[in-house]
Amino acid sequence: MELRNKKIRAPLHIFITITLFLLQLWAVTAQNNSNDESSIQPSVNSPLVKTSTRLLSSTPSFNRLTFGFRWRRRRRRNKVNRESRQFLFAHNLVRARVGEPPLEWDGRLAAYARGWANQRVGDCRLLHSNGAFGENIFWAGSNKWRPSDLVKVWADENRFYDVKSNTCQPQEMCGHYTQMVWRDSTKVGCARVDCSNGGMYAICVYNPPGNYEGENPFGSYTDNVGLHRDDAPPVIV
Protein backbone atom coordinates (compact mmCIF):
# COMPACT_ATOMS: atom_id res chain seq x y z
CA MET A 1 0.00 0.00 0.00
CA GLU A 2 2.74 2.45 0.81
CA LEU A 3 4.58 1.80 -2.41
CA ARG A 4 1.33 2.22 -4.30
CA ASN A 5 0.66 5.53 -2.61
CA LYS A 6 4.08 6.80 -3.57
CA LYS A 7 3.54 5.75 -7.19
CA ILE A 8 0.22 7.63 -7.23
CA ARG A 9 1.55 10.82 -5.57
CA ALA A 10 4.59 11.08 -7.83
CA PRO A 11 2.67 11.31 -11.17
CA LEU A 12 0.09 13.67 -9.62
CA HIS A 13 2.82 16.08 -8.50
CA ILE A 14 4.38 16.10 -11.94
CA PHE A 15 0.99 16.63 -13.57
CA ILE A 16 0.25 19.61 -11.35
CA THR A 17 3.70 21.12 -12.09
CA ILE A 18 3.28 20.71 -15.84
CA THR A 19 -0.22 22.18 -15.70
CA LEU A 20 0.95 25.26 -13.80
CA PHE A 21 3.81 25.72 -16.27
CA LEU A 22 1.47 25.50 -19.26
CA LEU A 23 -0.94 27.97 -17.68
CA GLN A 24 1.89 30.41 -17.04
CA LEU A 25 3.22 29.96 -20.58
CA TRP A 26 -0.27 30.54 -22.01
CA ALA A 27 -0.67 33.74 -19.96
CA VAL A 28 2.69 35.10 -21.17
CA THR A 29 1.87 34.24 -24.78
CA ALA A 30 -1.54 35.88 -24.57
CA GLN A 31 -0.01 39.03 -23.12
CA ASN A 32 2.58 39.24 -25.91
CA ASN A 33 -0.09 38.78 -28.56
CA SER A 34 -2.15 41.52 -26.98
CA ASN A 35 0.81 43.91 -27.01
CA ASP A 36 1.55 43.11 -30.66
CA GLU A 37 -2.04 43.75 -31.71
CA SER A 38 -2.20 47.04 -29.84
CA SER A 39 1.07 48.17 -31.42
CA ILE A 40 -0.32 47.76 -34.96
CA GLN A 41 -3.80 49.01 -34.18
CA PRO A 42 -4.36 52.60 -35.43
CA SER A 43 -4.39 55.20 -32.71
CA VAL A 44 -6.94 57.99 -32.88
CA ASN A 45 -4.60 60.44 -31.21
CA SER A 46 -1.58 59.58 -33.32
CA PRO A 47 -1.01 61.93 -36.27
CA LEU A 48 0.89 59.27 -38.21
CA VAL A 49 -0.81 55.90 -38.65
CA LYS A 50 0.95 53.06 -40.44
CA THR A 51 -1.21 50.38 -42.02
CA SER A 52 -0.66 47.54 -44.43
CA THR A 53 -4.12 47.81 -45.93
CA ARG A 54 -3.76 48.44 -49.66
CA LEU A 55 -6.78 50.74 -49.87
CA LEU A 56 -5.54 53.02 -47.11
CA SER A 57 -1.95 52.96 -48.28
CA SER A 58 -3.11 54.19 -51.67
CA THR A 59 -4.78 57.26 -50.17
CA PRO A 60 -1.63 59.45 -50.13
CA SER A 61 -1.12 58.72 -53.83
CA PHE A 62 -4.72 59.65 -54.51
CA ASN A 63 -4.30 62.88 -52.57
CA ARG A 64 -1.17 63.72 -54.53
CA LEU A 65 -3.00 63.08 -57.80
CA THR A 66 -5.91 65.25 -56.68
CA PHE A 67 -3.57 68.06 -55.63
CA GLY A 68 -1.69 67.79 -58.91
CA PHE A 69 -4.92 67.96 -60.90
CA ARG A 70 -6.09 71.03 -58.99
CA TRP A 71 -2.70 72.68 -59.39
CA ARG A 72 -2.67 72.05 -63.14
CA ARG A 73 -6.24 73.32 -63.46
CA ARG A 74 -5.36 76.48 -61.50
CA ARG A 75 -2.24 76.93 -63.61
CA ARG A 76 -4.26 76.67 -66.83
CA ARG A 77 -6.80 79.14 -65.48
CA ASN A 78 -4.09 81.66 -64.57
CA LYS A 79 -2.04 81.03 -67.69
CA VAL A 80 -0.90 84.29 -69.27
CA ASN A 81 -0.76 84.15 -73.06
CA ARG A 82 0.72 86.73 -75.39
CA GLU A 83 -2.39 88.91 -75.50
CA SER A 84 -2.74 88.77 -71.71
CA ARG A 85 0.87 89.87 -71.27
CA GLN A 86 0.25 92.81 -73.58
CA PHE A 87 -2.77 93.90 -71.57
CA LEU A 88 -0.92 93.50 -68.29
CA PHE A 89 2.28 95.21 -69.42
CA ALA A 90 0.38 98.19 -70.83
CA HIS A 91 -1.51 98.63 -67.54
CA ASN A 92 1.55 98.35 -65.36
CA LEU A 93 3.48 100.77 -67.55
CA VAL A 94 0.81 103.40 -66.89
CA ARG A 95 0.78 102.64 -63.18
CA ALA A 96 4.56 102.78 -62.93
CA ARG A 97 4.56 106.31 -64.33
CA VAL A 98 2.55 107.51 -61.33
CA GLY A 99 4.32 105.35 -58.76
CA GLU A 100 1.55 102.77 -58.28
CA PRO A 101 2.36 99.08 -57.65
CA PRO A 102 1.85 96.70 -60.60
CA LEU A 103 -1.33 94.76 -61.17
CA GLU A 104 -1.42 90.98 -61.19
CA TRP A 105 -3.14 89.01 -63.95
CA ASP A 106 -6.08 87.01 -62.64
CA GLY A 107 -7.45 84.10 -64.65
CA ARG A 108 -10.87 84.24 -63.03
CA LEU A 109 -11.28 87.90 -63.89
CA ALA A 110 -10.15 87.14 -67.43
CA ALA A 111 -12.76 84.36 -67.67
CA TYR A 112 -15.41 86.76 -66.40
CA ALA A 113 -14.34 89.34 -68.99
CA ARG A 114 -14.36 86.68 -71.70
CA GLY A 115 -17.86 85.58 -70.79
CA TRP A 116 -19.24 89.11 -71.01
CA ALA A 117 -17.33 89.91 -74.21
CA ASN A 118 -18.81 86.82 -75.86
CA GLN A 119 -22.28 88.17 -75.10
CA ARG A 120 -21.42 91.36 -77.00
CA VAL A 121 -20.28 89.63 -80.20
CA GLY A 122 -23.62 90.15 -81.90
CA ASP A 123 -24.10 93.88 -81.26
CA CYS A 124 -20.80 95.27 -79.87
CA ARG A 125 -22.77 97.74 -77.74
CA LEU A 126 -20.85 99.62 -75.07
CA LEU A 127 -22.60 97.97 -72.15
CA HIS A 128 -21.21 97.14 -68.73
CA SER A 129 -21.83 93.82 -67.04
CA ASN A 130 -22.73 95.69 -63.83
CA GLY A 131 -20.92 93.04 -61.82
CA ALA A 132 -19.00 93.31 -58.59
CA PHE A 133 -15.78 94.42 -60.28
CA GLY A 134 -14.43 97.61 -61.77
CA GLU A 135 -14.67 97.69 -65.56
CA ASN A 136 -13.23 99.50 -68.55
CA ILE A 137 -14.85 98.80 -71.91
CA PHE A 138 -13.83 99.71 -75.45
CA TRP A 139 -15.27 99.52 -78.94
CA ALA A 140 -13.73 100.23 -82.32
CA GLY A 141 -14.98 99.82 -85.88
CA SER A 142 -11.84 97.89 -86.79
CA ASN A 143 -10.47 94.73 -85.20
CA LYS A 144 -6.85 95.71 -85.85
CA TRP A 145 -6.43 97.36 -82.45
CA ARG A 146 -3.76 95.77 -80.26
CA PRO A 147 -4.19 95.52 -76.47
CA SER A 148 -1.55 98.20 -75.93
CA ASP A 149 -3.39 100.51 -78.36
CA LEU A 150 -6.73 100.42 -76.57
CA VAL A 151 -5.09 100.65 -73.13
CA LYS A 152 -3.35 103.78 -74.38
CA VAL A 153 -6.74 105.28 -75.26
CA TRP A 154 -7.82 104.84 -71.65
CA ALA A 155 -4.50 106.11 -70.32
CA ASP A 156 -4.64 109.26 -72.46
CA GLU A 157 -7.61 110.38 -70.38
CA ASN A 158 -5.08 111.48 -67.75
CA ARG A 159 -4.92 114.88 -69.46
CA PHE A 160 -8.54 115.40 -68.44
CA TYR A 161 -7.99 114.44 -64.81
CA ASP A 162 -7.34 117.17 -62.24
CA VAL A 163 -5.35 115.64 -59.40
CA LYS A 164 -5.87 118.55 -57.01
CA SER A 165 -9.65 118.61 -57.26
CA ASN A 166 -9.93 114.85 -57.98
CA THR A 167 -12.36 115.54 -60.83
CA CYS A 168 -12.57 115.26 -64.59
CA GLN A 169 -12.61 118.36 -66.71
CA PRO A 170 -16.11 119.46 -67.73
CA GLN A 171 -17.57 117.47 -70.62
CA GLU A 172 -14.56 115.13 -70.60
CA MET A 173 -14.04 111.56 -69.47
CA CYS A 174 -11.23 110.35 -67.20
CA GLY A 175 -12.75 107.40 -65.33
CA HIS A 176 -11.01 104.75 -67.44
CA TYR A 177 -7.66 106.26 -66.48
CA THR A 178 -8.47 106.55 -62.76
CA GLN A 179 -9.58 102.90 -62.67
CA MET A 180 -6.33 101.82 -64.28
CA VAL A 181 -4.22 103.62 -61.66
CA TRP A 182 -6.52 102.99 -58.69
CA ARG A 183 -4.21 102.06 -55.84
CA ASP A 184 -6.51 99.55 -54.14
CA SER A 185 -6.99 97.57 -57.36
CA THR A 186 -4.48 94.73 -57.40
CA LYS A 187 -5.71 92.30 -60.08
CA VAL A 188 -6.90 92.57 -63.65
CA GLY A 189 -8.29 90.31 -66.35
CA CYS A 190 -9.12 91.35 -69.93
CA ALA A 191 -10.67 89.96 -73.09
CA ARG A 192 -11.49 91.18 -76.57
CA VAL A 193 -13.66 89.71 -79.32
CA ASP A 194 -14.32 90.38 -82.97
CA CYS A 195 -17.90 91.51 -83.45
CA SER A 196 -20.30 90.30 -86.09
CA ASN A 197 -20.40 93.77 -87.64
CA GLY A 198 -16.65 93.77 -88.18
CA GLY A 199 -15.74 95.83 -85.14
CA MET A 200 -14.02 94.86 -81.90
CA TYR A 201 -15.22 94.86 -78.30
CA ALA A 202 -12.82 94.77 -75.36
CA ILE A 203 -13.24 94.73 -71.60
CA CYS A 204 -10.85 94.78 -68.65
CA VAL A 205 -12.06 93.81 -65.18
CA TYR A 206 -10.40 95.03 -61.96
CA ASN A 207 -10.52 93.75 -58.41
CA PRO A 208 -10.93 95.32 -55.93
CA PRO A 209 -12.92 97.86 -57.94
CA GLY A 210 -12.04 101.53 -58.06
CA ASN A 211 -13.68 104.83 -59.01
CA TYR A 212 -15.51 105.37 -55.74
CA GLU A 213 -17.10 108.76 -55.62
CA GLY A 214 -15.28 111.18 -53.37
CA GLU A 215 -12.10 109.06 -53.16
CA ASN A 216 -8.75 109.74 -54.72
CA PRO A 217 -7.29 106.98 -56.94
CA PHE A 218 -3.88 107.49 -55.36
CA GLY A 219 -5.16 106.97 -51.82
CA SER A 220 -4.86 110.54 -50.56
CA TYR A 221 -8.25 111.47 -49.18
CA THR A 222 -9.11 114.95 -47.95
CA ASP A 223 -12.45 113.97 -46.40
CA ASN A 224 -14.73 111.01 -45.77
CA VAL A 225 -17.29 111.92 -48.41
CA GLY A 226 -17.97 109.11 -50.83
CA LEU A 227 -19.48 105.67 -51.25
CA HIS A 228 -18.82 102.87 -48.84
CA ARG A 229 -16.60 100.07 -50.03
CA ASP A 230 -19.47 97.57 -50.11
CA ASP A 231 -21.41 99.69 -52.59
CA ALA A 232 -21.25 99.08 -56.32
CA PRO A 233 -18.80 101.29 -58.23
CA PRO A 234 -20.21 103.88 -60.62
CA VAL A 235 -20.73 102.88 -64.23
CA ILE A 236 -18.15 104.32 -66.60
CA VAL A 237 -18.60 104.11 -70.37
Side-chain angles (χ1 to χ4, degrees):
M1 289 294 296
E2 188 175 357
L3 291 176
R4 187 178 179 180
N5 289 338
K6 288 183 179 179
K7 290 180 181 180
I8 293 175
R9 285 195 299 269
L12 181 60
H13 176 73
I14 295 174
F15 174 76
I16 293 173
T17 303
I18 294 174
T19 302
L20 293 175
F21 174 77
L22 292 175
L23 288 175
Q24 185 177 7
L25 180 63
W26 175 82
V28 173
T29 303
Q31 184 177 1
N32 291 337
N33 291 336
S34 177
N35 292 336
D36 293 340
E37 291 177 359
S38 62
S39 64
I40 64 175
Q41 185 178 2
S43 174
V44 177
N45 297 325
S46 176
L48 298 177
V49 178
K50 295 182 179 180
T51 177
S52 60
T53 305
R54 179 172 298 181
L55 178 61
L56 294 179
S57 64
S58 63
T59 302
S61 299
F62 176 76
N63 289 337
R64 286 193 296 270
L65 291 175
T66 303
F67 173 78
F69 173 75
R70 292 178 179 176
W71 181 82
R72 287 192 296 271
R73 184 174 60 182
R74 187 179 298 110
R75 185 181 181 184
R76 287 195 300 269
R77 186 177 63 231
N78 291 330
K79 184 178 180 180
V80 180
N81 54 29
R82 181 179 180 181
E83 183 174 292
S84 304
R85 287 194 294 269
Q86 292 177 355
F87 272 115
L88 184 62
F89 178 79
H91 275 82
N92 288 336
L93 184 62
V94 176
R95 291 174 66 92
R97 290 172 180 170
V98 292
E100 295 299 321
L103 295 173
E104 176 185 351
W105 186 263
D106 189 279
R108 294 187 179 185
L109 294 180
Y112 180 91
R114 174 66 58 182
W116 180 250
N118 288 335
Q119 297 184 43
R120 301 269 65 83
V121 170
D123 55 24
C124 251
R125 296 176 59 190
L126 280 175
L127 296 177
H128 281 277
S129 69
N130 294 324
F133 310 111
E135 292 181 3
N136 282 346
I137 57 179
F138 177 90
W139 175 85
S142 171
N143 59 4
K144 296 182 180 180
W145 287 71
R146 298 174 300 176
S148 58
D149 296 331
L150 63 93
V151 171
K152 184 178 183 300
V153 173
W154 294 334
D156 286 345
E157 294 180 359
N158 67 332
R159 65 183 183 274
F160 303 126
Y161 175 66
D162 188 349
V163 178
K164 293 182 179 180
S165 62
N166 189 29
T167 58
C168 300
Q169 293 182 11
Q171 308 303 320
E172 299 292 349
M173 185 179 298
C174 64
H176 298 95
Y177 167 72
T178 55
Q179 172 59 85
M180 290 177 58
V181 297
W182 199 268
R183 178 170 297 177
D184 289 349
S185 298
T186 59
K187 297 181 179 180
V188 65
C190 304
R192 62 173 182 167
V193 293
D194 294 335
C195 302
S196 301
N197 60 6
M200 184 197 69
Y201 179 92
I203 176 175
C204 285
V205 185
Y206 307 85
N207 195 43
N211 284 346
Y212 283 92
E213 186 178 351
E215 295 187 7
N216 189 300
F218 305 111
S220 177
Y221 311 131
T222 58
D223 52 45
N224 295 323
V225 178
L227 301 179
H228 295 291
R229 284 293 178 175
D230 55 354
D231 292 337
V235 175
I236 295 178
V237 178

